[in-house]
Amino acid sequence: MQKNRKVFQGNFFEDFHLGQVIRHGTHRTVTDGDASVYLSLTGARHALHSSATLSALLGYPSKPFDDLLIFNIAFGKTVPDISLNAVANLGYADIRFVSPVFSGDTLHCESVILGLRENTNKKTGVVYVRSTCYNQHDCTVLSWIRWVMVHKKKETSHSTENYVPLFDSFVGTDQLIPTANIPSRDILDEWCENTCSTTVWDNFSVGDTIVHPSGMTIEEADHMQATRLYQNNARPHFDEELMKDTKFGKRLVYGGHVISICRALSYDGLENVISILAINSGTHVNPTTAGDTLYARTEVLDKWKIPSRSDVGALRLRLLGYKNSPTSSNNMSNQKIINRDVKSELVLDLDYTVLMPKKQN
Amino acid sequence: MQKNRKVFQGNFFEDFHLGQVIRHGTHRTVTDGDASVYLSLTGARHALHSSATLSALLGYPSKPFDDLLIFNIAFGKTVPDISLNAVANLGYADIRFVSPVFSGDTLHCESVILGLRENTNKKTGVVYVRSTCYNQHDCTVLSWIRWVMVHKKKETSHSTENYVPLFDSFVGTDQLIPTANIPSRDILDEWCENTCSTTVWDNFSVGDTIVHPSGMTIEEADHMQATRLYQNNARPHFDEELMKDTKFGKRLVYGGHVISICRALSYDGLENVISILAINSGTHVNPTTAGDTLYARTEVLDKWKIPSRSDVGALRLRLLGYKNSPTSSNNMSNQKIINRDVKSELVLDLDYTVLMPKKQN
Amino acid sequence: MQKNRKVFQGNFFEDFHLGQVIRHGTHRTVTDGDASVYLSLTGARHALHSSATLSALLGYPSKPFDDLLIFNIAFGKTVPDISLNAVANLGYADIRFVSPVFSGDTLHCESVILGLRENTNKKTGVVYVRSTCYNQHDCTVLSWIRWVMVHKKKETSHSTENYVPLFDSFVGTDQLIPTANIPSRDILDEWCENTCSTTVWDNFSVGDTIVHPSGMTIEEADHMQATRLYQNNARPHFDEELMKDTKFGKRLVYGGHVISICRALSYDGLENVISILAINSGTHVNPTTAGDTLYARTEVLDKWKIPSRSDVGALRLRLLGYKNSPTSSNNMSNQKIINRDVKSELVLDLDYTVLMPKKQN
C-alpha cells in the first residue's frame, strides 16, 4: 500500500493566468536578529539602519530595517509559487518602498499575474507579475514587478493568453514616499556627523560618476546563508549536485544578494543616502558564483526635488556591479575601467531612486 | 616555579557511575537573534516558528523556538561532560518536547547515567544517559536519552557496573504534550494560508512516502557556525589539524546539524507539521562532511489520534537523510531512488512524531 | 559633463596632526542579534554573557555584551579614518573596559592623535592614537591606544611633527573598573555551577601555564562575517583580487577576530573569568589566513587584589595564539610545545587583565 505522495514543486507556465491572484505562504516576523545576520553578510553601513538614536531623530518609532533586507525577504516568499521552475529572472520594474518595517512586524505577500508570453521554442514562457508585501496591519510595505522565464510542463500545451504589459521606465516623484524627516539644521548636522560626509543632495549633478573603492569576495556559505535568511528556496543556490552538470558548473548566487552586496559597497561616496525610495528597473547581466569578487560604480541619472519637501531630495542612480575587475586605483586608473568594455564582467545594472538630505533654503 | 595547570578535558568511561547526576554548565539565555542565525543556517520555513501572528492564534504568548534549535542548544550543554571523549554517538531514544521556549528564556541541563557497558576491546565503553533541559522556572523543556561510545582512560581499569537499560521503541500518545491549539475552523484556514497547503493529518496514510525535492550542500563555515551557536565544543567539528589524519580526513559535521538540515528539507510535502512532539529513535548511519549535499525522504510510519483532542493529530514519521544522491526527479525517478541500495549514502535515520492540524469532526 | 566624484579613501600619514580630534561615523545600536552572530562565529562560552539569570545575580540590569564584541565594533568605527591606508597594525596598549554595554545601546567613537613618527624610508609613518567609545548617554564604554603604520601620500612631503608617546606597560589596579559583584557565597556557588569549575582567583599562581585543549580552523566566510558584523571595512579582509598578488597571497583575517577566537579557546582552563578589565598590550606576531587552525595557551603573569573588594580579584594573563600547531596532547606533550621554538607559528601575543571570583575571607 506504499504510496508516493505528490509534493508541490512550483507552478509551470501553463499554471498561470492573467489576473490570477496568488497568496504566498510562510508569513514572517522580522527581528533585530535578522538585521544582525544581514549586517554580517553584507557589511552594510547606511546610517538610518545602524543607529536607533539617529532614526529617532528622523521621526521613526524605532530603527527601520534596511530596504533591501525587506525586499529580499518579501521576494523569497514569492519564489515557491512564481519562480521555482524559472529558467531566469529577466528583470525588475516599479519597485516601490512604501512603509518602513520595524523589529516585530510580520510580513506576508500576494502576487497578481500581469502578463504572459509563450516563447517560440514552445518550452518556456515569460510571466509578468506584480507582488505586494504587507505588514500585520495589512499596510503595504513594498510592491514590485518582475518578469521571469518559466518552464512549460509540456511542449504541446499552449497558452491562449498572450499579453505583455508596459511599464513606466521609472517611478515618478509623485509616487515616491519619503518616510524620513530632517526637521532642523541641527538634525542634519547630527546626520552628517554619523556619516562623516557633508555631501548631500545639493552637491550632486546629473552625470556624476562614483567609483566605489572596495571589493567583496563571495563565499558559498555567505550567499547561501543570506538566501536562507530570506527563506528563498530556489534550488540553484543550494544544491551543488544539481548545478555541477549545468553550464554554470556550480551554485549560483541569488541575484538579490548581489544587489545587497553592491549596495553595501556603494556606501563609500554615497554616505548620505537615507533610504531607497524605488527601484526603477534592474537586470542581472551575468551570473555571479562563489569566488567572484564584486565591485561597484554609480552614475547619477537624475536629480529631483520632492513635492512639498525642502529637507530631502531624490537622486536617480544607476548602480553597476562588476565581478573580478577592481574599480579602485589598485590595478588601473578609474577612467580606464569606466571606458573599457566590461560587459562580460557586468553582473548588475540597477536603476534606483534614493532619498538624500537637502540643505534647506 | 612554572606549573602547567590541568585542564578538565571531559569524562572518560571510568568516570561515569550508574545513577550519577551531572549538572551541566554554560546556562544559556536564548533570543530572537539565535532564531535568526538558525534560520540563516538551515533555511527552516515551518510556520509556527516563522510568524508571531500565527503563533498567537495557536495560543502561544510569543513565537516559540524551533524544537531542533532548542534540542541542539540543550545537547551542546551536555557535550563537555558526556561526550568530549566520545568515539561515536551511537543513538538517541525517547526525546520528548515538553514545553515551548521563548525569546529571553534561560536554559540549563542535567544528566543522569542510566547504563554502562564496557566493550570487549577494553579500550572503550558505552554510556547510556538521560539528559533534561529546564528553563529559568525549572520547568522541563525537553528530555532525551542517548548512548555514546566513550574512551577509557586505561585498558587495565575495568568497570564493575554493567547495565544496559531497555527503552520503549517510541513515545506513546499518552506521553505526547501538544502545546498548540487550533480553536476554530477559521484559525485552521489561516494556518493553511500560511503554509499554502491543505494537506493535514486526515490526508496521510501509513505507508505514504514523501520524496522532498530540494538538496542542500554543506559548507565548513555553515556547520561550524551552527555548532558554535549551540556552544557545542566537540573538537572533531572544528579542528582540521586534528581531523586530517583520521579516517575521515576532515572535520565532521555535527549530527544535530544534519538533523536540522534534513528537517528543513522535509518542509516541502509536510508543510502542515506544527511542531515536533517526540523523537522516538535516531541514528547517524554515515558521517557527513563539508561538500556533501543532503537530500531527504519521509515515510509515514503511523498515525495517531491524540487523547481528548479533535483539532490536532500525531504522525509518526521516518526521516531519511542521504548525501550526494538527489532524490528529486532531476537525475532519476523517485521510485528508483527509493528501491536501490543507498546504504552508503544514508546519513540519517530518524523516527519522530509530529503534531499536525486535523479537520475537526 | 561627466565627472568622477572623489571618494574619501581614508587618511594618509600627512593628514594626521598631534592633538587632532576625529569623530568617527556609523553610530551603532547593538542588539541581542549581534550577540547571537558573535556566538556563532566564535563559540564563546563565558558565563556572564551567556545567561541573563546569572548576570542579574551579579548586579547587571540585563545581559552585558562580550567585551571583545564591543571592542571589535568600536575598533571598526575607527578604521575608515585611521587605518584604511595602514600597512600594518603595530600594537595595542592601555585598553580599558569601563562600562558594560547592553542590548539597545548606541555606540559612537572619537579618536585623538597622540603621536607621529615618519619612517626613514619616507614612504610611511607611524600614527599613535587613543580612541574612545561612548554610549548614547555619552558615558565612556571603553578606550584604547593603538599605533599603526600608515602610507604617506608623497615621498617628498615630510612631517614637522615627530613625537612618540610613552605608555605604561600595564593598566594599574587603581584604574580597573570591575562592574560585577558577587554579593554572597550562594551567588559564588551559583556562578561556579554555571562554569562547572571551582578554580577561582585564589587557586592561581604567578607562573601558571594553561594549555587550552581545543583548536579552531578559520574559514573565509567566518572571518569576513565577523569583520562585517563589526562594520570594519578594511579591504585586505574582503577582496581576494586585491590580495592575491600581495606577499600574503590571499585575504588576511582581521586581528580582532583572531583575538576573539583565541579568547573563546581559552575558556577551557579559565572557566571562571568573569570579564575583561583591560588589555595591557598586544601584537599580531604573524598573519592569519583562512585555512589556519588556531590554538591557545595562557600564562599567569600577575595576580592582584582589587582595592576595597573581597569578592573578586584580578589576574594578569598572557594569551598566546598559535596556528597549525596543536597544543593539546594529541600530537605532542604539552611541555614540548611550550618549550620549542614556535615563533613562526605565533599569531597573537596578548597581555590582558581579567576579573575572577575570589573566596571571601
Side-chain angles (χ1 to χ4, degrees), chain B residues 62-129:
Chain B
S62 69
K63 194 160 58 78
F65 283 98
D66 192 301
D67 307 294
L68 291 177
L69 169 56
I70 298 305
F71 170 72
N72 282 320
I73 287 176
F75 187 97
K77 310 257 138 287
T78 70
V79 166
D81 303 306
I82 305 295
S83 51
L84 208 58
N85 300 303
V87 184
N89 226 340
L90 299 176
Y92 306 99
D94 196 28
I95 306 185
R96 303 182 198 188
F97 294 90
V98 177
S99 309
V101 178
F102 304 104
S103 183
D105 283 353
T106 299
L107 307 177
H108 64 280
C109 295
E110 194 174 285
S111 293
V112 56
I113 304 303
L114 299 184
L116 291 167
R117 185 175 55 79
E118 197 176 322
N119 283 330
T120 49
N121 67 6
K122 303 278 179 199
K123 292 179 183 165
T124 55
V126 179
V127 180
Y128 298 81
V129 56

Side-chain angles (χ1 to χ4, degrees), chain A residues 27-140:
Chain A
H27 301 193
R28 167 79 168 271
T29 304
V30 285
T31 72
D32 284 335
D34 298 321
S36 296
V37 175
Y38 186 76
L39 190 53
S40 78
L41 295 171
T42 63
R45 285 175 288 148
H46 288 89
L48 182 64
H49 316 298
S50 188
S51 163
T53 306
L54 193 66
S55 59
L57 289 177
L58 270 58
Y60 294 94
S62 68
K63 194 159 57 77
F65 283 97
D66 192 301
D67 307 295
L68 290 178
L69 168 56
I70 297 304
F71 171 72
N72 281 320
I73 287 176
F75 186 98
K77 311 256 137 288
T78 70
V79 166
D81 303 306
I82 305 295
S83 51
L84 209 57
N85 300 304
V87 183
N89 226 339
L90 299 176
Y92 306 100
D94 197 29
I95 307 184
R96 304 181 197 188
F97 294 89
V98 178
S99 310
V101 177
F102 303 104
S103 183
D105 282 354
T106 300
L107 307 177
H108 64 279
C109 296
E110 194 174 285
S111 295
V112 56
I113 304 303
L114 299 183
L116 290 168
R117 186 174 55 79
E118 195 176 324
N119 285 328
T120 47
N121 67 6
K122 304 278 179 199
K123 292 178 183 168
T124 55
V126 178
V127 182
Y128 298 80
V129 56
R130 170 172 285 288
S131 300
T132 307
C133 176
Y134 304 93
N135 66 17
Q136 69 276 22
H137 310 297
D138 283 324
C139 293
T140 299

Side-chain angles (χ1 to χ4, degrees), chain C residues 239-257:
Chain C
D239 186 336
E240 186 71 19
E241 288 292 318
L242 174 71
M243 296 306 291
K244 71 182 179 194
D245 297 326
T246 65
K247 65 175 172 176
F248 307 109
K250 59 197 295 199
R251 282 162 277 176
L252 294 178
V253 175
Y254 160 55
H257 186 58

